[in-house]
Amino acid sequence: MDIKLIQLLTETWGPSGNEGQIRNLIESEVRPHVDEVRVDPLGNLIAYKRAAPEPARGRKGMNSANAAPPKRIMLSAHMDEIGFVITHVDEKGFARFSNVGGLHTLTLVGNRVLFANGTIGTIQIEKGLRATNEPPGYDQMFIDVGATDKRSSPVKVGDMGALMGALVKLGDRLTGKSLDDRIGCYVVLETLRQLKHSPHDVYAVFSVQEEVGLRGARTAAYSVNPDMGLALDVTLTGDIPEAPFMDVTLGKGAAIKVQDSSAIADPRVRHLMVKRAEDAHIPYQLEVLTAGGTDTAAIQLAREGVPAGCISIPCRYVHSISEIVDMNDVQAAIDLLIAVLSNPIDLP
Ligand code: CO
Ligand code: ZN
């Protein structure tokens, strides 16, 4: 496991719609392992790895003119992260803000925010922390960037920021910000690095604007026009104190999605992944997520419909500055994705 790379991925700036920095990093990591890389008009990074030539696909002796063309498999891991947008700067230089994607205000106070121009601010709440037993609203919070008045403030209306936080290793586990979904990006990068002789044309999409409504995957799925799609993203767990009932546990393997609130995974795709996991003795668990969605939904509804599923990495405290994943689950997700891509895919 390349923890240095995971650290770089999670700590690189890239709130939804502002994915330039993280895209550059991923592009430099992915380029050596694929045949083509392009960026679509919305900003998605699409890396293409051509199917291995016929002999390597185990079809020796067959007239290649009779062989079925390779299938087009789209992977999607979103590279954007949740963040903030400045809505107003007052005369004293305090900046008001709103959310970009799903933030829990309870987790925000005291955290630091980084802006594109390098400005750092701290999120605070009106009247300090006194008498607050309810999550504050955005209208009760502000960002202090150290400015003394509006004119000298280094941030202005429309500037976007993201949480700041270092990745830390906790035994077999990692905690940090934006493991949603930079850990999914890592799974795809690592898979492409290790994948030899896939019989499929693999299109690895590092999508934009997932956190604001699965927007990037929609345009990417249109241009890739896949025969099958797989999203790689985090999912919640049911293993924390008084968590809502959910049958996913950190450390028990890759989660194969059954459904979430945006998509019912194609049962054929789900069964294929379960079979591959069982054949290769890869630990897995089935995921039923009652809230939240992934790029699966956007791929599934592209064009005339695409069989799509999702490999999820179990993650505690999603959308907080201290998300936690287990490296054994990350490894299982990589192993499962490689097993799926290395073998023929024939959906009944
Ligand atoms: Co998310
Ligand atoms: Zn995500």
Side-chain angles (χ1 to χ4, degrees), residues 242-258:
E242 294 203 38
F245 184 75
M246 186 174 175
D247 205 23
V248 172
T249 303
L250 220 58
K252 294 250 171 89
I256 296 172
K257 190 182 295 289
V258 177

Side-chain angles (χ1 to χ4, degrees), residues 78 180-181 210-211 233-234:
H78 68 91
D180 174 14
D181 184 28
E210 189 271 353
E211 295 290 2
D233 207 337
V234 299

